[in-house]
Each structure stands twice: as C-alpha cells, then as structure tokens.
Amino acid sequence: MLKIAPSILSADFTRLGQEIDRVSSADWLHVDVMDGAFVPNISIGVPVLASVRSYTGMFLDVHLMVDKPARFIPAFAEAGADLLCVHLEADSPQGVREALARMDAHGVKKGIALRPITCAEAVIPYLEQGLDLVLIMTVEPGFGGQSFMDHQLPKIAAVRRYIDADCPACRLEVDGGIHAETARLAVEAGADVLVAGSAIYGAPVPGEAIQALRDTARN
C-alpha cells in the first residue's frame, strides 16, 4: 500500500506542533537532517527530533544527509526515529554497513539513500542485510523546492526489480519534486512511499493535498 510522508523541511518551524497536526492524515512524517558537510545546508538535529517524537506518535522517517553517519545513529535512534536512512555516498561501504549494524543494535528500521548520480546497482550488496527501505532522490539533496528529475525514473524501476528479487519486504521511497503528476510517474516506476514537502505544506489544506497524491498515484 502506498504511503505518503510529508517532509517537515517545508513546515513553519515557529509552530511545528500545529504543522504536524496539519498532516496527521499522512502515513509517515519525513524528517530531513542536514549537516552542512555532506550537503551544503544545515537543517535540524537530535533535540528537534526528540521534540517531534514527544509531540506525535506518527512514524518518523529520518533521512540523514550527514557525513560518516554511523557516529550519529545511536543519538537519533534514542531521540525517537522509527527508521533511519543513510546515504551510500556519505561513507565507505564499510562505514555504511557499520551504520546499518548500529540501526539493528538500536532497534530501528534501516534504509539507504541514493543521490541522482548513484546507479541503481549500488543497492545490490546491501539488500542482503534485510533493508527496510531504499530512498531514491529525484533532486540533489540539500534543499527543498527543486524540480523532479525525470531521468531518475529508469533507476526507480531498476531498484524496484532488485528489491522484488532480493528483499521483497523492503519499501522503495522517492523524494524530490513530488506533486500530483510526478507522484503518478514515481508509483508507475515502482515507488511505494512518496515524500512531499512544498506540494503538501504549500497547499491551502494539506490533508486534501495528501489525499490528492494518493488518488493521483492510484489512477
């Protein structure tokens, strides 16, 4: 079943609790963590995640856009993440495996993320570790409001095939430039989790925008 995950990167942080309430009809809440090193921007950290966790029981899908992420896994897990996702490009293969092992040790679901420059085949060695999620970025990570990169659709389809063959319980998430039309394209290519920021928080009624994404993707 398709899941919609609004990104709080597009929320008004002066009233974050209310902004979470506005998207409570969604399935997950997507939390983007940026360190200013792996990506050229800084967003939020452990204290904000802990506050979000204390406010809501929604599933917290935490996307770590940080360099050498293994060192941060315990803190974000203890702050309340339900799923942590790390970038393959953020460390060596050994470092990525260590991050995944720490997720297992802390009882959180584990995911890997791919920038647009990274090929679909890069996921293959990690699927045997029982991934819960693969995230394909359809924009360059680091900033919200970018346009969907159509040339990522074949990669989404390829990763879907690898997941179905080697780790069928794993979900395939797409993040970047998601709106009604691109949602349909992403789902047709194989996505079953959609992250949307401005398309939801920029709508007059976020709940209606969430439902519109679900409806568009089904048609």
Side-chain angles (χ1 to χ4, degrees), residues 22 50 55 81 90 98 140 143 182 189 193 201 209 213:
R22 293 174 73 210
Y55 186 82
E98 175 61 24
E140 279 296 334
F143 295 91
T182 57
V193 182
Y201 276 111
L213 287 176

Side-chain angles (χ1 to χ4, degrees), residues 75-100:
F76 280 100
E78 291 166 9
D82 292 295
L83 181 148
L84 289 167
C85 188
V86 300
H87 272 268
L88 295 187
E89 310 88 0
D91 206 345
S92 66
Q94 180 179 353
V96 171
R97 291 185 184 280
E98 175 61 24
L100 294 173

Side-chain angles (χ1 to χ4, degrees), residues 11-68:
D12 180 351
F13 276 72
T14 66
R15 52 191 190 100
L16 189 53
Q18 295 173 51
E19 293 286 80
I20 292 170
D21 291 341
R22 293 174 73 210
V23 299
S24 60
S25 62
D27 304 283
W28 294 0
L29 199 62
H30 189 80
V31 181
D32 286 309
V33 177
M34 308 178 195
D35 66 352
F38 177 67
V39 293
N41 199 4
I42 297 173
S43 60
I44 63 175
V46 170
V48 173
L49 180 64
S51 294
V52 170
R53 175 77 291 161
S54 69
Y55 186 82
T56 181
M58 292 180 72
F59 184 95
L60 299 183
D61 165 27
V62 180
H63 178 193
L64 296 180
M65 289 174 270
V66 302
D67 193 42
K68 294 183 171 38

Side-chain angles (χ1 to χ4, degrees), residues 3-7 26-30 61 173 193-197 200:
K3 294 190 180 294
I4 306 298
S7 171
D27 304 283
W28 294 0
L29 199 62
H30 189 80
D61 165 27
E173 183 174 65
V193 182
L194 299 176
V195 176
I200 292 175

